[in-house]
Amino acid sequence: VQLQASGGGAVQDGGSLRLSCAASGGTFSSYDMGWFRQSPEKEREFVATIRWSGGYTYYADSVKGRFTISGDRAKNTVYLQMNSLKPDDTAVYYCAVSTRRRVLSAIRSSGTYDYWGQGTLVTVSS
């Protein structure tokens, strides 16, 4: 299974970007697809996840109200619309897939995702 993320770039404070991630290859059924991010001085952190069953979405408090996750389950594709970007959002953004049903408390844990993309860099300047 391969995940290809795209859409990163450099924007100014208050700008917007839209990330995309498409999963392909192999035979799998994704249960959740999500985004994490990592900057040099921080651990990898949860950003957002969409649970295909029911279309539920979950966000980190730091991005709630500014970021929107969406996707197409049939295409195994997920998007992250990022608005009102701040310098603190600067990081490499990774998409991830879980093929297992998990309790809600697990969706914020990177260790419970099965496949990862290569990351796309988002840089927000002040």
Side-chain angles (χ1 to χ4, degrees), residues 26-39:
T27 302
F28 71 99
S29 179
S30 65
Y31 196 82
D32 303 325
M33 286 188 74
W35 292 93
F36 285 72
R37 66 187 182 186
Q38 187 168 17
S39 55

Side-chain angles (χ1 to χ4, degrees), residues 49-105:
T49 280
I50 184 166
R51 173 154 289 183
W52 297 126
S53 178
Y56 297 106
T57 56
Y58 306 93
Y59 297 93
D61 288 344
S62 59
V63 307
K64 200 173 294 184
R66 300 187 297 122
F67 291 9
T68 301
I69 188 169
S70 62
D72 186 332
R73 186 179 191 181
K75 297 181 179 179
N76 278 317
T77 300
V78 66
Y79 308 99
L80 187 67
Q81 177 66 43
M82 304 186 295
N83 298 328
S84 301
L85 282 161
K86 307 174 182 179
D88 282 350
D89 295 317
T90 295
V92 177
Y93 284 70
Y94 298 91
C95 59
V97 169
S98 172
T99 60
R100 298 164 286 165
R101 181 184 177 92
R102 302 168 296 162
V103 296
L104 280 179
S105 60

Side-chain angles (χ1 to χ4, degrees), residues 105-124:
S105 60
I107 64 170
R108 300 172 185 270
S109 172
S110 61
T112 66
Y113 289 77
D114 302 299
Y115 301 103
W116 291 84
Q118 84 287 2
T120 184
L121 177 63
V122 172
T123 304
V124 185

